[in-house]
Amino acid sequence: MPPHASGRPGPLATDPGLLAGFGVLALLVAGDLLADVLLTATYTSSAIVASMLTDARRTAVVAAVGVLLAFLMGYLRSDAGDMEWILRASLGSGLGVLAVVSAHVRDKREDRLRRMTIIAATAQQALLSSLPSSIGGLAMASRYVSATSEALVGGDLYEVVPTPWGVRVIVGDVKGKGIEAVQVAAAVLSAFRHTAGDEPDLAAVARTLDATIRRLLSDEDFVTAVIAEFGPDRLTLANCGHPAPVLVTDATTTVLEPADSTVPLGLGADPLLTLHDWPADGRLLLHTDGLSEARGHRGLFFPLDDVADGLARGSLDEALDELVAALLRHADAEIVDDLALVLIEHQDRPTS
């Protein structure tokens, strides 16, 4: 990443743009001294190299030094009255100006992108309010893991709503990045909060969300989501193209795949509900594909099946912390996609 990508260029002595620019300039001057042809017109190509790696002001320093050396070397190596060196040096000056302008334009573009990313991240944090630690016979914990700085903010979402038919939880992921994804996530959460407590049929909740957000999306955009309804001993799932939840007990780990494949929200979702036992010692992990599709340095996907049994041990927070730690070890701390994790426990779970 260029030193100025964060808006704060590194120290002068270690700035790669300055080092590369002056390195190229030194090579050109050395070649000029050893060759029979004048290279003065190319001195400010060093500024073009610098502009790729540092900001406009430091690019201007390299360009200015290149122009000065071009005029000096041209004057010293030309015959009296020969004005060709002035033309060569002036041509190099033009290249230097272009390099500085190019760096300045990129600086402004990157600054605008940084500000938009900050706005999107702030909006996303405001949307993802903390889940209650206990509600309707359930204990809950959540984590939101941001991607590395090179990635834009995503549209992962989660929410919980108590209803007459049981506690309902949604976890979803908007296709795309940036402020547009956050806006769609806000629409999904708003529709879920208004619909979950009024509609007895969980599939109808999904259909309402689909109709609500369809007008906000282009033909190729969508939102994957899973909606869970928790009864005293029964778990109902409506899965709309989302990674399957994982049910963990002291004895078993089960991936709760949908009975039939269903398209995501925004593409005409009409999920077939699946019913599962909700045992007293059960924990359910809802997650976005930032977990299941995370890759290690060898390109291997994160082995969720191999570590899922650890979710049954310790407190909910401890279990999620260990899961995130395992993910970071697998990915060498380079997470390229945001992910949301929600771990839910039946509060009748026996204490050890």
Side-chain angles (χ1 to χ4, degrees):
M1 178 188 296
H4 61 295
S6 64
R8 298 175 182 175
L12 290 173
T14 59
D15 188 315
L18 289 178
L19 294 175
F22 284 129
V24 170
L25 181 59
L27 290 175
L28 291 171
V29 172
D32 204 351
L33 293 172
L34 297 174
D36 293 332
V37 295
L38 287 174
L39 300 176
T40 50
T42 65
Y43 281 9
T44 48
S45 62
S46 59
I48 296 176
V49 174
S51 72
M52 300 175 184
L53 301 170
T54 192
D55 62 15
R57 287 190 295 180
R58 294 183 179 183
T59 297
V61 171
V62 177
V65 174
V67 170
L68 289 174
L69 286 176
F71 275 98
L72 178 62
M73 291 293 292
Y75 175 77
L76 294 177
R77 298 198 60 198
S78 297
D79 296 333
D82 183 1
M83 301 300 290
E84 183 181 350
W85 63 274
I86 296 179
L87 178 60
R88 291 174 177 272
S90 299
L91 200 62
S93 300
L95 289 176
V97 170
L98 287 176
V100 174
V101 170
S102 175
H104 176 70
V105 170
R106 192 184 61 253
D107 285 347
K108 290 181 69 67
R109 183 173 63 247
E110 291 178 350
D111 181 65
R112 184 164 56 251
L113 178 61
R114 280 193 301 273
R115 286 188 279 109
M116 290 299 296
T117 301
I118 291 171
I119 292 171
T122 303
Q124 188 175 50
Q125 291 171 2
L127 287 172
L128 296 179
S129 56
S130 298
L131 297 181
S133 60
S134 178
I135 183 173
L138 305 175
M140 294 186 174
S142 62
R143 293 290 184 275
Y144 187 88
V145 182
S146 296
T148 50
S149 58
E150 287 82 358
L152 291 175
V153 67
D156 292 12
L157 59 98
Y158 52 76
E159 184 58 287
V160 56
V161 175
T163 78
W165 309 279
V167 176
R168 289 175 171 175
V169 179
I170 185 172
V171 172
D173 186 2
V174 180
K175 178 191 175 185
K177 301 289 183 181
I179 193 66
E180 293 84 2
V182 176
Q183 290 171 334
V184 173
V188 174
L189 291 175
S190 177
F192 178 71
R193 291 164 185 150
H194 284 86
T195 306
D198 296 333
E199 177 56 64
D201 181 13
L202 196 65
V205 174
R207 290 192 294 269
T208 299
L209 296 181
D210 178 87
T212 300
I213 68 171
R214 197 180 306 175
R215 65 178 181 272
L216 302 176
L217 303 174
S218 67
D219 293 338
E220 297 181 355
D221 291 333
F222 55 82
V223 180
T224 68
V226 60
I227 308 172
E229 179 184 287
F230 296 87
D233 56 6
R234 184 72 63 176
L235 169 65
T236 306
L237 296 176
N239 194 321
C240 302
H242 197 76
V246 180
L247 177 64
V248 183
T249 68
D250 290 332
T252 61
T253 298
T254 308
V255 179
L256 304 182
E257 297 286 355
D260 193 12
S261 58
T262 308
V263 298
L265 299 175
L267 299 179
D270 186 10
L272 180 65
L273 301 183
T274 57
L275 302 179
H276 307 274
D277 291 333
W278 181 224
D281 64 344
R283 287 182 174 182
L284 186 73
L285 176 68
L286 304 169
H287 62 92
T288 57
D289 62 8
L291 179 67
S292 55
E293 296 184 3
R295 292 178 181 266
H297 67 281
R298 295 182 179 178
L300 301 176
F301 288 114
F302 178 64
L304 178 57
D305 293 344
D306 295 342
V307 300
D309 58 345
L311 294 171
R313 297 189 291 270
S315 68
L316 295 180
D317 286 320
E318 290 170 344
L320 283 183
D321 287 343
E322 179 55 37
L323 178 62
V324 171
L327 174 66
L328 293 175
R329 288 193 298 270
H330 174 78
D332 294 329
E334 290 293 328
I335 306 298
V336 298
D337 191 10
D338 292 358
L339 68 139
L341 305 170
V342 177
L343 186 60
I344 302 169
E345 178 184 84
H346 201 298
Q347 284 199 313
D348 289 339
R349 178 185 176 91
T351 58
S352 55

